[in-house]
């Protein structure tokens, strides 16, 4: 990892989305691992507008940019805006509806 990275401007790598996970629109995912420390991965992730489904990892993230709603199979939902910090649990099933391109800094347990 570089010693210093601009979380808003850092280049990310395209992450292909399987057709089966895209529910609406033509979203494109991007990501970049910034480092790994004692089994914990830290990185940046972005998703353009649209709706996708996902099975979550054990993760904490902070929204840097964008607006979205995450709806869980439990019926709970979380509104994402810049500055919001969210805790996801491994195995949770969720639907991500992104209204404006979302960018987050994440920490995932391995």
């Amino acid at each position: 990892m570089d010693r210093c990275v601009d979380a808003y401007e850092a280049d990310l790598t395209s992450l292909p989305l399987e057709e089966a996970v895209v529910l609406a629109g033509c979203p494109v995912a991007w990501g970049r691992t910034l480092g790994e420390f004692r089994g914990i991965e830290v990185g940046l992730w972005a998703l353009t507008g649209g709706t996708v489904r996902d099975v979550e990892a054990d993760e904490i993230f902070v929204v840097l940019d964008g607006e979205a709603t995450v709806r869980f199979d439990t019926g709970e939902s979380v509104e994402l805006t810049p500055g919001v910090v969210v805790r996801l649990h491994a195995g949770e099933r969720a639907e991500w509806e992104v209204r404006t391109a979302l960018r987050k800094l994440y920490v995932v347990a391995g």
Side-chain angles (χ1 to χ4, degrees):
M1 175 183 153
D2 298 333
R3 183 173 297 275
C4 181
V5 174
D6 183 325
Y8 296 97
E9 299 295 327
D11 289 331
L12 307 180
T13 301
S14 177
L15 302 171
L17 293 171
E18 296 177 21
E19 280 185 41
V21 303
V22 177
L23 302 176
C26 297
V28 178
W30 304 85
R32 177 177 175 178
T33 300
L34 298 176
E36 293 185 25
F37 311 93
R38 297 183 181 171
I40 296 174
E41 179 181 321
V42 178
L44 296 167
W45 182 85
L47 185 67
T48 61
T51 305
V52 298
R53 75 178 84 172
D54 194 21
V55 176
E56 304 306 334
D58 207 13
E59 174 181 345
I60 294 174
F61 68 86
V62 59
V63 176
L64 301 173
D65 200 16
E67 293 183 0
T69 303
V70 179
R71 292 181 188 85
F72 299 93
D73 280 357
T74 61
E76 181 184 8
S77 65
V78 177
E79 291 300 317
L80 304 180
T81 56
V84 169
V85 178
V86 178
R87 169 73 162 92
L88 301 174
H89 300 276
E92 287 183 311
R93 296 182 182 278
E95 183 177 290
W96 293 67
E97 179 187 346
V98 177
R99 294 180 294 282
T100 59
L102 187 70
R103 190 175 187 106
K104 69 180 185 176
L105 173 70
Y106 67 83
V107 178
V108 173

